[in-house]
Amino acid sequence: LGNKSSGKTSIILRFLEKADEKPKPSISLVYTFGRRQKSHSIDKDVVHIWELAGGTYQSNLMEVAIQPSTIPSFSLVVVVDLSRPDELWITLETLLKEASLRIDQLIRNNKSVKSVLEVSQNSRKLSQEHKDHRNVNVFPVPLLIVGSKFDLFQKFSTIEKRSIMQTLRFWAHKHCAHLVFHSEYIASTSKPLNIILNHFAFKTLIQRQFICDDSKPLFITAGQDSFEHIGSPITSDGSPAQLPSEATLEDFKKHFTQIFKQKNFEELQDKEDPSKDPYYADDVIDRIRKLKDRELEQYRLIAERKFKDKSSRN
């Protein structure tokens, strides 16, 4: 999941070791898969990957991928474009909310799903020794937040970078998620990302990581951060906000959106018609589509004429 043109397809191709392939613009929900040789066996593990295109548009298509049959091995990756902070909060908030609603729907309708998710969440809870263990909301499925286009992010001012980093750290820690910054143009950022993706896909082990430096891409594995270290959200002048108690998600939203005014939901909707995009041209399908469009227009005109006739008689 993630912003439109945030690099989701490129990340998938690199993970599947198909970096030489030119990424194609994605439409709706795209499915692909990958295989990995099992150790000491001729069998292969298979990972199923769904990519939701278009940002928050058509987020309801998540229900195709999030099913009772997929929940036991399901993980969620949300990619936010660091170069477009004016979309960051609403994108993250909308997509995680939609995913949570879909999972809640499955839990209400299927007791086995509830049991599976309880086991998953319990395994990812913070230890009792962690000072924040009572104040986090473990996301129902394993979650990774990726900040893409780190190369462009570096061009922001110090205050802007600190606000983005701090906000994403809070989102990730609050949900016991992993957090990685990435750029397809900086080779060193691919390894941390692939470590988490391989862990999600093939259950490989991961070591605890906490790389948090203003000059380096973030790499923080779930549970290694703390609200104390994150601190209060910074204000537009770079000073920490004075809060009466520990910061909440709403506190971070208030101050982040003061620094980066967010686009509204309608502005983020990708309503371009892919059937008119020459990139996807297909002679046979296009002829059938034109025929169906004419039939639809004729039907519309007939229905409109009947309605007018009926209205005039009345």
Side-chain angles (χ1 to χ4, degrees), residues 50-68:
W50 286 267
E51 177 193 351
L52 182 65
T56 57
Y57 185 56
Q58 293 185 325
S59 55
N60 60 315
L61 289 176
M62 284 187 213
E63 65 184 43
V64 175
I66 306 176
Q67 295 284 341

Side-chain angles (χ1 to χ4, degrees), residues 294-304:
R294 285 197 295 269
E295 290 177 356
L296 180 61
E297 180 62 16
Q298 289 172 355
Y299 175 81
R300 188 188 67 80
L301 292 172
I302 292 172
E304 189 177 279

